[in-house]
Every structure is written in C-alpha cells, then in structure tokens.
Amino acid sequence: MLEDKKVSKTSLSEIGEFGLIEQIKEGFPIRLETSIKGIGDDAAVLDYGNEKTVVSTDMLVEGVNFSWSYMPLRHLGYKAVVTAISDILAMNAIPKQILVSLALSNRFTLEAVDEIYNGMKYACDKYEIDIVGGDTTSSVNGLVINMTALGSAKAEKISYRKGDVKENDLLVLSGDLGAAFLGLQVLEREAQVTKVNPDNQPDLEQYSYLVERQLKPEARLDIVKLLAEMEIVPTAMIDVSDGLSSEVIHLSKENNIGFNIYEEKIPLDPAVIRTAEEFQINPITCALSGGEDFELLFTIKQEDFEKIKANPYLTVIGHATATGAENYLITKGSEQMIPLTAQGWGTGEEESED
Amino acid sequence: MLEDKKVSKTSLSEIGEFGLIEQIKEGFPIRLETSIKGIGDDAAVLDYGNEKTVVSTDMLVEGVNFSWSYMPLRHLGYKAVVTAISDILAMNAIPKQILVSLALSNRFTLEAVDEIYNGMKYACDKYEIDIVGGDTTSSVNGLVINMTALGSAKAEKISYRKGDVKENDLLVLSGDLGAAFLGLQVLEREAQVTKVNPDNQPDLEQYSYLVERQLKPEARLDIVKLLAEMEIVPTAMIDVSDGLSSEVIHLSKENNIGFNIYEEKIPLDPAVIRTAEEFQINPITCALSGGEDFELLFTIKQEDFEKIKANPYLTVIGHATATGAENYLITKGSEQMIPLTAQGWGTGEEESED
C-alpha cells in the first residue's frame, strides 16, 4: 500500500473527462449479481429483490477531512471507501455498491487520480463491492471526494440508531478505540518536523498500529457477518466515527435511555496507552473524543451475552440504565460517575464541526 | 422563487452540525412509502419491492458549475435537485429519493444554507421526492454540493444509453434546446456590467425564458410519465446535459449505429433565435453545444411514430442510419451533411471539461 514515486505526468485535459471515465470503468468491472448496470450510463441499476436498500453519503474535503502532508493518495482512496461502507455496516446491512464523485483542481495529474482509484480498487476487492457510478468535475483549488454507498438487508435484520433498546441491554463495542486519533497526532507532528527539516527521516515503527489505523482503517464487515452467524440482531447500532462519547449520546438520545460505560472496560491497544502518555493525554479521552476508529457500537439483549462473551473482537463496555437517564463514565474502581459530553478534543466544539 | 434579502445572520458554528441536521430533518419529513428511514441514521433504508433501484450522483462546484454573481441560493438548490433527478429520468425511471452533501466555507450563514434547502424543498414538493440523507462538512473556501438520486422502474421499462437501437429508429427530443446556454451568456454579460457600474438595473424581461431555463430548469418527469401512458419504451435514452451533439455521439457510440439529425427539425424557442443573433452566434450551435437544457433525447421504433406525432412536447429530429455509420447534421434544404463533433462551445475542449 505504499505509494510509488511516479515520474510520468499526464494532465487530465489530455485525456478528457470521458477518457477518464472510460479508464475508471475498465478498472472496475462489476462483480455482483445485484449490480445490473454500473458506470457509463445516466444512472446505475441495482436489484435487491425483496431485501431493503440501504444508502448513505459522505463528503471528504482536502484541508478539512484530510491533508496531503501525511495522507498518500492511495490510502486516501482506500479510506474513502471504508468511510462510506462503515455507515452501511452500522445498519447491520451488507455494503454492495459505491458511487464516487471527485472535484479535482488542475494540479492533479492522471497518475494522481489513478493512485486514488488504486486505493479504492484495493478496498473494493477486499470488501467485495462494486463501483457503479460517479461524477468528475473541476475544482478551483483542492480535492473534494463524495462517496455514496448502497447495501441491502432483510427488513428484520436492520439495526437502527433509534432501535428497541431496553433497560439492562448490554452496550457492546468491536475492536479498540483511540488509535486513529493518536495516529493523526503522530503524523501531524512528523509533518511539522519535516517542514522545518526536509531531511527528516521519521522512524514511525513504534507507532505503526496507530498510523495504520489513521491511514488505512478497516470497516467492520467481519462483525456484521459474525452477528449474522451468531444470530444476534443488535437492538440499536451506530459506527464510531466521532468518538465513543458522541456515539453513546446519539444512542441515548434516539432511544430515550441512559447508558453507564466503564472506564476499565474500554478497549485500548498498548500503543494507545504508551503514545497517549507521550503526548500527555489521558488515553480514555482519546477513546471518548478521538474520531475515525470505524468500530461498531451496539446494544444487545442480556440473553445474547452468552453468544458473544468468548469473542475476542467484542467487548461489553456498559449497559442501558433507565428511560430518560443521563449517560455516565464509571471510573476505575467505581470511584466516580462522570457525565458524558459530546465535546470534541480540546476545542470545546463538536468534533465533526472542526 | 426570488431570493428575499435577509437581515438575520446566524453563524453555522452557533447551531452546530447536529443542530443543522436536525433543522434539515424537520423541513423534510418523508412522504413516500418506499422511504422507510430518512435523515438521521447512519444510512437511509428504501424499499423497492420487485422493482429495480436506479441511482446516480452529481457534484456541483462553486466557480466551476455555478457562480454567485448570477445564481441566487434558492435557485441553486432547486437546480441541484433537477440536475440529480434528470439522470434517473434518462433511464425512464421515476425519481424517488435524494441525498445531499454540502461542503460550506465559514462565510456561509445558517440563513444562506436555509435558502439552498428552501430551493431543494420547492423542487422536492414539485417532483414528489424525499431527501433521505446527506453529509455536511466544512470547506476551505467556496461551496460544493453533491447530489445522489435514487429511483425505481420495472426491469423491462428501463431505457439504457446502450439500448437496442435498430436502423431507422426515430430520434426524438423533448422540449427545445439552447436556451439555458444563452441564459448564461445574458447573466454573465449583466454580471460584467454590474461589476463596472454597481447601479446597473438590468432589464431582463425580453430574456426571461432564457434566464429561467438557466436559473430554474425543469426535469422532464412529465415526459417519462407520458411515455408510460403512451406505452412507449425508448430503445435508448439520455438526458441533454452537455449539448445535443455530445449526446447524439454518446448514443451512437454505445449502440454502434449512426444518426442523421435535421437542422430544420431542431426545436428552438423564438427567444433563442433572437438572442443568438444579438450575441452573433448561430442558434443551432447553441442547441448542439450549449449544455444544461435537461431535455430527454431518445430513440423509438418506427411503429411508435403514430403515438407521438401529435404531441407538442416531442419532436422527431432525426433517425438511426446504419451500423457503424458516422453522425451528421443535415442542413436546411438538405444542402450539406456536416459531421457532428463533441466540441464544446468556443474552447475546442469537451464542454464538461470546462
């Protein structure tokens, strides 16, 4: 996944929009039976038979959602796909197709666009999805990517944010948290050093897990498949894109129920604990307020606990308390109950407003 | 549809992203039975039963696809919806839902965003579609809008670009062409005059049809409904977004068949003829190369001619000639056969590359 240093530079005006579309189309033959018609018509045609269609859209803006100073183009393409399909997975649905819109300034070459699509192709292969359409336009400056993802699920399997959460339902999290946020801190620190000293050869080996979680995150298709195998339908579900605290508050508000989460249960990778210390941040704060982990957060009935308890990818981090109750973080040893807030890291604003 | 001069200015950071989403959600309650879940979850859920899902996406970039110097925000919202659903109609499908992504710089106020959504609401009411999702993010400068439209159709009713066009199939166009292009010329001329003389009070009355076609175009839902009533399934179809010439060439290439179109048959409004003369442009060139008319261009079997011949909204402008043949414009009195090219207006580049 490392980016090659290309020497060839083809301006996009040489190949033209239709040439570019043709090239993209060749790189993404459709593979799914549900993709009846893909790139190259006014619209794509999909067949979901008696399943429900699930659809979501996300916009990524250069200088806001990503920066070239640390984000290779191929990783950007990969991450754009992951961002898109994570919302479909958060409905307990299977992602099937994506549509990609790009606005490109004239500093982008064909080779640069190829790199973005190569990353997308890598992700499409991994998650077995088709690119079935998109749009390409110019931008005055910078790059804007918009991703639309479609998926499907049987009606009775879909997990909404506003679900059917009952008192004492368990709050379950996949994977671990805080790594993507710390990966970004590491990359931004190195970018600053490189600005002052262009010969800087960063040794990021000790941060490799964090950097990978930031640059090449994964969407939890495995968890949605696992839940189906275990015959669990979460009573509510959301993906962790803005930090655990914000997502717990979403579930709480939508279901009019409070949650207690336990500090000692929140899964943290050793690299998160070590690096948070280096940056003098509480690692729990990274988990609560750092975004982009793309893990799934969901509630299950008490009686489903037996099915998940031995699973290394799933952790019960808390439970629903009572209708209308507030949300609390219970600190280690049950010493304190701290009310959860949707505050982003440091700025006092919501993370997604940054 | 004229924009009110608002005095109230609410910065978006005051209301926050979640506040903005809440407000948008309240303004767009879902109306269709096929929209099971709309704004406010990780993804929307749609139900198309045994029909096929048709989906398309379009990106509109400030300074590239529109300019504030002539485009009021409410019209921009309206036109964004029309642009999106026109692609669904071009598949002979019925548009049902849209998803809207906005990237906004900090010069936008809540009132400005409201104006955009007011225009979208007006269009959603007119075309009976639901907004079921979207994304809102910051931009470094300028506004970017991405629209994703979904619709549905029975499999046997869908008209593809690459269809089943036979020799002597008739080439049919809805409405008339060239007006949106000339409307843009008029608006840009006035914007230049206003730059030099801010007291300029443009009298656009004689150009009202042209300006309306540019600022508030309509998507031809009526034509798709009409075709269903007439029991016509076009053998191929496309919408005219880049100019007639480019669209004829698309149909030709996809179906490996040539077309002859007749200059005297191309429908032009009297205002197009008059204003083209004023700008010293051939009005046929406006029809061939001017974009954004959002009319439908399609082929039908010879035997369907009886069904459409009396219809004032439909004009037979030519016919398919032979497999592998070139495309020609036959001038008035059959004096000349001019090969069609995809050249945009003036620049020698493809229009959509501008």
Side-chain angles (χ1 to χ4, degrees):
Chain A
M1 286 293 291
L2 288 177
E3 196 180 19
D4 298 330
K5 298 285 175 202
K6 299 260 182 170
V7 284
S8 164
K9 301 276 175 204
T10 311
S11 82
L12 286 174
S13 60
E14 276 176 55
I15 180 172
E17 184 186 354
F18 299 135
L20 180 60
I21 292 169
E22 202 53 47
Q23 185 169 320
I24 295 165
K25 190 177 160 183
E26 277 169 24
F28 291 92
I30 59 176
R31 80 185 83 202
L32 302 178
E33 279 183 21
T34 53
S35 305
I36 302 174
K37 177 81 188 184
I39 299 169
D41 210 311
D42 297 289
V45 180
L46 314 174
D47 182 5
Y48 287 123
N50 287 321
E51 301 219 323
K52 305 303 170 217
T53 310
V54 180
V55 57
S56 167
T57 197
D58 285 289
M59 190 173 266
L60 305 171
V61 179
E62 179 180 344
V64 177
N65 307 97
F66 60 89
S67 159
W68 299 131
S69 59
Y70 56 80
M71 181 60 102
L73 287 164
R74 205 181 299 186
H75 287 81
L76 179 65
Y78 192 90
K79 187 168 176 174
V81 174
V82 166
T83 304
I85 66 176
S86 184
D87 284 323
I88 303 300
L89 294 166
M91 307 295 288
N92 204 31
I94 302 293
K96 297 285 178 70
Q97 288 93 7
I98 55 172
L99 296 94
V100 179
S101 295
L102 294 181
L104 299 153
S105 71
N106 57 15
R107 73 181 153 84
F108 285 90
T109 60
L110 178 61
E111 287 73 21
V113 177
D114 271 348
E115 279 297 289
I116 297 172
Y117 276 103
N118 282 341
M120 289 185 180
K121 195 170 167 54
Y122 198 88
C124 286
D125 289 345
K126 168 148 191 179
Y127 294 104
E128 296 184 330
I129 54 179
D130 284 335
I131 292 189
V132 293
D135 190 20
T136 313
T137 183
S138 306
S139 82
V140 177
N141 49 18
L143 172 67
V144 182
I145 305 178
N146 195 87
M147 306 293 289
T148 299
L150 294 109
S152 69
K154 292 199 191 307
E156 66 275 17
K157 292 288 175 73
I158 296 176
S159 293
Y160 294 95
R161 285 188 190 178
K162 181 181 172 60
D164 183 28
V165 185
K166 299 279 196 297
E167 290 180 13
N168 299 318
D169 274 9
L170 301 174
L171 187 64
V172 184
L173 180 78
S174 69
D176 56 71
L177 296 180
F181 170 79
L182 283 168
L184 182 60
Q185 306 313 306
V186 168
L187 288 164
E188 286 186 339
R189 183 177 64 184
E190 290 306 322
Q192 285 302 320
V193 173
T194 305
K195 218 186 253 176
V196 179
N197 171 19
D199 295 331
N200 176 42
Q201 293 282 344
D203 176 11
L204 297 180
E205 199 175 315
Q206 61 169 313
Y207 307 110
S208 62
Y209 178 68
L210 310 180
V211 167
E212 178 143 344
R213 290 281 281 180
Q214 172 58 228
L215 294 184
K216 190 172 165 285
E218 302 295 348
R220 300 310 303 254
L221 176 60
D222 58 333
I223 299 295
V224 170
K225 288 182 173 172
L226 187 68
L227 289 169
E229 279 168 30
M230 290 174 167
E231 298 185 344
I232 294 174
V233 178
T235 53
M237 183 146 72
I238 194 167
D239 69 329
V240 184
S241 51
D242 291 340
L244 179 61
S245 190
S246 169
E247 315 307 353
V248 169
I249 290 166
H250 274 307
L251 290 182
S252 169
K253 197 178 152 195
E254 293 283 345
N255 294 284
N256 188 31
I257 203 159
F259 289 97
N260 284 351
I261 61 174
Y262 294 86
E263 183 181 1
E264 61 199 8
K265 299 288 185 190
I266 296 172
L268 301 172
D269 189 88
V272 166
I273 297 168
R274 197 171 61 229
T275 310
E277 199 167 297
E278 186 187 329
F279 278 87
Q280 298 183 297
I281 310 171
N282 183 338
I284 289 296
T285 308
C286 299
L288 290 176
S289 302
E292 302 194 295
D293 287 309
F294 300 110
E295 297 296 343
L296 295 174
L297 178 70
F298 53 93
T299 50
I300 61 170
K301 293 174 205 155
Q302 283 266 356
E303 64 245 42
D304 283 334
F305 177 66
E306 287 300 315
K307 298 178 186 168
I308 68 152
K309 68 176 187 187
N311 193 290
Y313 302 118
L314 298 176
T315 310
V316 177
I317 62 165
H319 61 88
T321 52
T323 301
E326 296 298 307
N327 302 294
Y328 294 99
L329 175 73
I330 315 296
T331 60
K332 279 177 192 159
S334 301
E335 284 183 0
Q336 274 186 289
M337 283 178 76
I338 303 173
L340 287 184
T341 64
Q343 304 285 304
W345 174 253
T347 65
E349 284 183 74
E350 283 161 1
E351 178 73 9
S352 51
E353 275 295 293
D354 286 351
Chain B
M1 286 296 288
L2 288 177
E3 200 180 15
D4 298 328
K5 298 284 176 205
K6 297 260 183 170
V7 284
S8 163
K9 301 275 175 204
T10 311
S11 83
L12 286 173
S13 60
E14 277 175 56
I15 181 173
E17 184 185 357
F18 298 134
L20 179 61
I21 292 169
E22 201 55 45
Q23 184 170 321
I24 294 164
K25 190 177 161 185
E26 278 169 25
F28 291 93
I30 59 177
R31 79 187 85 202
L32 302 178
E33 279 184 19
T34 52
S35 305
I36 301 175
K37 177 81 189 185
I39 300 169
D41 211 313
D42 296 291
V45 180
L46 314 173
D47 181 5
Y48 288 123
N50 287 320
E51 301 219 323
K52 305 304 171 215
T53 309
V54 180
V55 57
S56 168
T57 197
D58 284 290
M59 192 173 266
L60 305 170
V61 179
E62 180 180 344
V64 177
N65 306 95
F66 61 90
S67 158
W68 298 132
S69 59
Y70 56 80
M71 182 58 104
L73 287 164
R74 208 182 296 186
H75 288 81
L76 178 65
Y78 191 92
K79 188 168 177 173
V81 174
V82 165
T83 304
I85 66 176
S86 185
D87 285 324
I88 304 299
L89 294 166
M91 307 297 286
N92 204 29
I94 301 293
K96 297 284 178 71
Q97 288 94 2
I98 55 172
L99 296 93
V100 179
S101 294
L102 295 181
L104 299 154
S105 71
N106 57 16
R107 75 180 152 85
F108 284 90
T109 59
L110 178 61
E111 287 72 21
V113 176
D114 270 348
E115 278 296 290
I116 297 171
Y117 276 104
N118 282 341
M120 290 185 178
K121 192 168 170 54
Y122 198 88
C124 287
D125 288 345
K126 171 151 189 174
Y127 294 104
E128 297 183 330
I129 54 178
D130 285 335
I131 293 189
V132 293
D135 190 21
T136 313
T137 184
S138 306
S139 83
V140 177
N141 47 20
L143 172 68
V144 182
I145 304 179
N146 195 88
M147 305 293 290
T148 299
L150 294 111
S152 70
K154 292 198 191 305
E156 66 275 18
K157 292 289 175 74
I158 296 176
S159 292
Y160 294 94
R161 285 188 189 178
K162 182 180 170 61
D164 183 28
V165 185
K166 299 278 194 299
E167 291 180 13
N168 299 317
D169 274 8
L170 301 174
L171 187 64
V172 183
L173 180 77
S174 67
D176 56 72
L177 295 179
F181 171 78
L182 283 169
L184 182 60
Q185 306 313 306
V186 168
L187 288 165
E188 285 185 340
R189 183 176 65 183
E190 292 303 323
Q192 286 302 320
V193 173
T194 305
K195 216 186 253 174
V196 178
N197 171 18
D199 295 329
N200 176 44
Q201 293 283 344
D203 176 11
L204 298 179
E205 198 175 315
Q206 62 169 310
Y207 308 112
S208 61
Y209 178 68
L210 310 180
V211 167
E212 179 144 344
R213 291 281 281 179
Q214 172 58 226
L215 293 185
K216 190 173 164 284
E218 302 296 345
R220 301 309 305 253
L221 175 60
D222 58 333
I223 299 296
V224 170
K225 288 182 173 173
L226 187 69
L227 290 169
E229 279 167 31
M230 289 174 165
E231 298 184 345
I232 295 176
V233 178
T235 54
M237 182 147 70
I238 194 167
D239 69 329
V240 184
S241 51
D242 290 340
L244 178 62
S245 189
S246 168
E247 314 308 353
V248 169
I249 290 166
H250 274 306
L251 289 181
S252 169
K253 195 177 155 197
E254 293 284 346
N255 294 284
N256 188 31
I257 202 159
F259 289 98
N260 283 352
I261 62 175
Y262 295 86
E263 183 182 2
E264 60 200 8
K265 299 287 187 192
I266 295 173
L268 301 171
D269 189 88
V272 166
I273 297 168
R274 196 171 63 228
T275 309
E277 199 166 296
E278 185 186 328
F279 278 87
Q280 299 183 295
I281 311 170
N282 182 340
I284 290 295
T285 310
C286 298
L288 290 175
S289 302
E292 300 196 295
D293 287 308
F294 300 110
E295 296 296 343
L296 295 173
L297 178 71
F298 53 94
T299 49
I300 60 171
K301 294 174 204 155
Q302 283 267 353
E303 64 247 41
D304 283 333
F305 177 66
E306 288 299 316
K307 297 179 187 169
I308 68 150
K309 69 175 183 186
N311 193 293
Y313 302 116
L314 298 175
T315 310
V316 177
I317 63 165
H319 61 89
T321 53
T323 301
E326 296 299 307
N327 304 293
Y328 294 99
L329 175 72
I330 315 296
T331 60
K332 280 175 189 158
S334 301
E335 285 184 356
Q336 275 185 288
M337 283 179 75
I338 303 173
L340 286 184
T341 64
Q343 305 285 301
W345 174 254
T347 64
E349 284 184 76
E350 283 162 3
E351 177 74 8
S352 52
E353 275 293 294
D354 286 349

